[in-house]
Amino acid sequence: MSADDADVVSDPDIRQTPAVKATGERTDTLLQTDGLVKQFGGFTAADSVDFAVEEGELRCLIGPNGAGKSTLLKLITGKHAPTEGSIYYDGTDITDFEPQDRVKRGISMKFQVPSVYNDLSVRENVRLPVQRFATGEERARRIHEAIVAAGLEGYEDVPASSLSHGQQQQLEIGMAAALDPDLLLLDEPVAGLSVEERQGIADRITRLNEEAGIAFVVIEHDTDFVAGIADEVTVLHQGDVFREGPIEEIESDPAVQKIYLGGEGE
Ligand code: ADP
Ligand code: MG
């Protein structure tokens, strides 16, 4: 975390809470990208992507290596500026918003590279995002909620370095959730984890989705994991949406199988 991030969530009141939190029902589109293009030099990593997420939805994003999955999430968070196209969030055009203004609006992300502070305890790690916007009793409550969200009760005083890789990933999800997002973006949260650890992460994601109403976009390759958590799956291929649908349909689609084998698809 840099000093620039210090005031990221200094004014949580600015946030608009989507209706899903009040009603428990999906009412609206939360996120929409419109013709999103990202070029790196002459290479097109995102090729006119139209992608939408409903309030409270749990979407998985799959596709072969280099398909543009991480790039799409970085465009949504504002880490990358698009070459062309627009991003709408909760009815607002956020295409030109700074990353911290997107966080204020309710978009939170856990990146592919783990970023917990090894020398700090679980509680101290969780305090970092929370102390930016909450004080006193509310701070204590939110720290506790984030530890529960991470599934790390009983580990509060353990240094992050002593946690398993899976627990560290859980901690990061708790830290991202501590920002009270309406949309949480996770880039390969179970890469390199055991089956048991994967289940721990799946439980964290499912609970935050169902109990806190947080919408998710989760990048993941493992179809068992995806089948266990996702409502709908989006397949990216060569920088654009290739297929969308339930995992069973996607898995049995010969064209999807073909792109994973290194073919060109259709
Ligand atoms: P995925 O996450 O689906 O594996 P990425 O979005 O990371 O794919 O990358 C998509 C393509 O864009 C890859 O070919 C990658 O090499 C390229 N790419 C990603 N980021 C950059 C960058 N900062 N500069 C140049 N090329 C990039
Ligand atoms: Mg990636």
Side-chain angles (χ1 to χ4, degrees), residues 64-71 74 112 187-188 219 221:
N65 275 334
K69 304 181 295 296
S70 296
T71 299
K74 287 171 185 170
Q112 204 162 351
D187 196 343
E188 303 201 17
I219 296 178
H221 296 282

Side-chain angles (χ1 to χ4, degrees), residues 116-122 124-125 157-162 168 171:
V116 299
Y117 291 84
N118 274 322
D119 297 340
L120 300 184
S121 70
V122 166
E124 288 163 343
N125 266 284
D157 299 314
V158 172
S161 57
S162 303
Q168 289 187 1
L171 174 55

Side-chain angles (χ1 to χ4, degrees), residues 12-78:
D13 291 337
I14 208 167
R15 289 265 312 283
Q16 295 171 353
T17 302
V20 66
K21 283 201 171 168
T23 65
E25 286 174 20
R26 280 184 209 164
T27 53
D28 221 343
T29 301
L30 183 61
L31 175 85
Q32 175 106 47
T33 75
D34 182 11
L36 212 52
V37 174
K38 180 61 185 177
Q39 290 176 331
F40 295 110
F43 181 80
T44 305
D47 192 0
S48 197
V49 180
D50 299 327
F51 176 70
V53 177
E54 302 294 303
E55 289 178 358
E57 174 176 7
L58 205 171
R59 178 77 62 91
C60 282
L61 194 55
I62 68 172
N65 275 334
K69 304 181 295 296
S70 296
T71 299
L72 177 57
L73 292 201
K74 287 171 185 170
L75 288 165
I76 295 167
T77 62

Side-chain angles (χ1 to χ4, degrees), residues 110-114 116 150 152 163-173 186-205 218-225 229:
K110 194 197 92 54
F111 290 98
Q112 204 162 351
V113 181
V116 299
L152 292 174
L163 299 175
S164 70
H165 186 42
Q167 288 170 324
Q168 289 187 1
Q169 296 281 23
Q170 290 179 210
L171 174 55
E172 280 203 73
I173 291 172
L186 305 179
D187 196 343
E188 303 201 17
V190 297
L193 299 188
S194 69
V195 171
E196 294 75 28
E197 289 174 321
R198 283 165 181 256
Q199 190 54 51
I201 300 291
D203 292 344
R204 292 345 321 149
I205 294 171
V218 182
I219 296 178
E220 181 45 44
H221 296 282
D222 179 61
T223 47
D224 288 338
F225 181 82
I229 62 168

